[in-house]
Amino acid sequence: MKKTLLATAIAGAAAFTAAGAQAATVYNQDGTKLDIYGNVQIVYAGVKDEDGHSRDEIADNGSTFGFAAEHVIYNGLIGYAKIEIDDFKADEMKVAGRDAGDTAYIGLKGNFGDARIGSYDSLLDDWIQDPISNNEYFDVSDSNTFKGAPGEDADDASVVAGDPEGDKITYTSPVWGGFQFALGTQYKGDAENENLTDGGEASIFGGLKYTIGGFSVAGVYDDLGIYDIEDQSVSYLSTDVAADGTVTTTQNNVTIDDEDLGDQYGVTMQYQWDSLRVAVKYERFESDNDFLKDADYYAIGARYGYLNGMGDVYGSYQYIDFGGSGFSDFDSANDDENDDDNVNEVVAGVTYNISDAMYTYVEGAVRDRDNDQGDGYAVGLTYLF
């Protein structure tokens, strides 16, 4: 679950995450504070597979248990830590077990800004992607898909999955005259499985944000340096359908010579009127190898808190141009042979607050893929504590 309750923002200056809004302070003495919070999330969802068959299930949707602690070191300087544990599989707790966490970091904050180290959401996720689509079950696609070793599918044995959240250090400045910046690095040593080379690799990322009143604009860049690729050969199959219906399958061999994975960047503008927020986004993955295509993401999203806190109505539309060259070819119509390289995504939903600690929701998604792959619906229930 990634949820922003605009409905609760009517009584406050900003929206809060659902988990944080329910935190219980169990200790607060002599400058030390400890909060415990969590949620249980159950969802019934049906999503179409690559053959167009709808597959449904009752599933856990990210149930989380978290601790947040902070301590006043001296006036104006606070040390803090946070850890969140998820993947409890609340729908099959007895047999499924759990094998993952979510967030864990340590930091310092004060008049100088905020510095942290650990595992947490990427800056691109927080500043660029979330204002468009920060939903319960379905989100529009984003360029994080490309993080990792090249491959046809993320579950291919030869593919090393990316890690956009781990091993990071980030400094975020205070706000000066509406401006704020963030700068950080992500490091993978040669002892880590996610490293695609024989030596340590580091990424550099940064962003700049400007806020005035209800309007804000943010830009983020990540050089994806930890995903540098050493010499390797990759094979994949491509299928072409001729005008007469003849299907031709070709094996393609691509040699990668010490290349970078690529670069990732984006810009988002948003405006909030009371309980209505509207945002627009341009995001791009720019490939630096012969295997992956460039990808451009153009999106608009909105969220409205209705009936003074009863829930949210939200939706987003996104146009994705695979193989595009950015704004320079946005208006160029693709021919029939390349039409599959463009897709239109729509995600929409509504939440209803049963009480301060419990809410339900309905969501749907249309992905515009072959055989309607990824299209689906979800109905869920969440309890916060």
Side-chain angles (χ1 to χ4, degrees):
M1 176 192 75
K2 292 172 20 180
K3 184 171 187 284
T4 301
L5 281 174
L6 288 190
T8 63
I10 298 173
F16 299 94
T17 61
Q22 297 294 322
T25 300
V26 297
Y27 184 85
N28 190 0
Q29 188 173 343
D30 299 327
T32 298
K33 180 181 177 183
L34 175 64
D35 291 338
I36 298 178
Y37 61 92
N39 54 71
V40 179
Q41 304 177 54
I42 304 292
V43 63
Y44 171 69
V47 181
K48 290 187 177 181
D49 61 19
E50 60 185 7
D51 297 318
H53 302 140
S54 182
R55 306 293 186 183
D56 68 332
E57 63 175 343
I58 295 176
D60 183 282
N61 191 34
S63 298
T64 302
F65 191 67
F67 300 87
E70 64 177 46
H71 174 70
V72 178
I73 298 173
Y74 59 80
N75 188 28
L77 182 63
I78 297 174
Y80 66 91
K82 183 176 182 179
I83 184 168
E84 290 184 354
I85 304 169
D86 65 1
D87 198 30
F88 287 100
K89 298 181 175 64
D91 61 308
E92 298 175 340
M93 194 74 175
K94 188 73 173 179
V95 297
R98 59 166 304 279
D99 57 9
D102 182 26
T103 294
Y105 54 83
I106 299 172
L108 292 170
K109 61 183 178 180
N111 297 331
F112 72 96
D114 182 292
R116 67 178 59 172
I117 181 171
S119 182
Y120 41 89
D121 286 348
S122 70
L123 187 64
L124 198 91
D125 190 6
D126 286 341
W127 285 14
I128 306 301
Q129 298 163 357
D130 280 355
I132 297 294
S133 180
N134 190 20
N135 304 331
E136 302 294 332
Y137 191 82
F138 294 106
D139 282 318
V140 295
S141 304
D142 57 55
S143 59
N144 289 336
T145 304
F146 294 98
K147 291 186 174 180
E152 286 293 281
D153 298 297
D155 57 358
D156 285 350
S158 61
V159 173
V160 178
D163 177 24
E165 298 186 11
D167 299 316
K168 290 207 301 285
I169 301 173
T170 305
Y171 168 73
T172 304
S173 75
V175 178
W176 294 302
F179 286 95
Q180 184 179 36
F181 74 89
L183 184 65
T185 183
Q186 186 176 20
Y187 178 76
K188 294 293 182 182
D190 54 14
E192 302 189 63
N193 292 332
E194 304 97 310
N195 195 324
L196 307 180
T197 69
D198 291 333
E201 296 287 348
S203 298
I204 299 296
F205 59 86
L208 179 66
K209 180 190 291 187
Y210 177 69
T211 303
I212 179 169
F215 173 79
S216 67
V217 56
V220 173
Y221 170 80
D222 189 335
D223 72 355
L224 303 181
I226 64 170
Y227 301 111
D228 289 351
I229 307 165
E230 290 189 325
D231 290 346
Q232 60 176 290
S233 296
V234 181
S235 298
Y236 66 98
L237 299 177
S238 60
T239 302
D240 295 315
V241 181
D244 61 0
T246 302
V247 178
T248 303
T249 300
T250 306
Q251 179 171 314
N252 302 276
N253 299 308
V254 177
T255 300
I256 301 174
D257 300 319
D258 287 331
E259 295 179 342
D260 294 339
L261 180 68
D263 300 288
Q264 182 188 35
Y265 51 88
V267 177
T268 290
M269 293 183 289
Q270 60 179 313
Y271 194 87
Q272 184 165 330
W273 301 265
D274 295 326
S275 60
L276 173 65
R277 183 188 68 208
V278 177
V280 294
K281 176 193 76 170
Y282 170 66
E283 181 181 353
R284 178 170 172 80
F285 169 75
E286 191 164 310
S287 176
D288 285 339
N289 59 77
D290 296 328
F291 186 77
L292 297 173
K293 293 182 178 180
D294 298 336
D296 296 297
Y297 302 78
Y298 308 86
I300 182 170
R303 181 179 283 262
Y304 175 69
Y306 65 89
L307 295 181
N308 198 33
M310 292 301 294
D312 293 349
V313 179
Y314 50 92
S316 53
Y317 163 76
Q318 180 165 257
Y319 170 79
I320 308 174
D321 184 9
F322 293 107
S325 301
F327 283 107
S328 62
D329 73 341
F330 178 68
D331 294 328
S332 301
N334 281 351
D335 55 34
D336 291 338
E337 293 182 359
N338 294 323
D339 195 44
D340 287 341
D341 290 339
N342 295 328
V343 296
N344 297 274
E345 297 183 330
V346 178
V347 175
V350 59
T351 66
Y352 175 74
N353 296 328
I354 300 171
S355 69
D356 289 342
M358 182 182 293
Y359 67 91
T360 185
Y361 62 88
V362 177
E363 280 186 3
V366 177
R367 301 291 189 187
D368 192 25
R369 267 61 168 189
D370 291 341
N371 297 322
D372 297 328
Q373 182 180 2
D375 292 3
Y377 58 87
V379 181
L381 182 66
T382 298
Y383 185 86
L384 313 168
F385 60 89

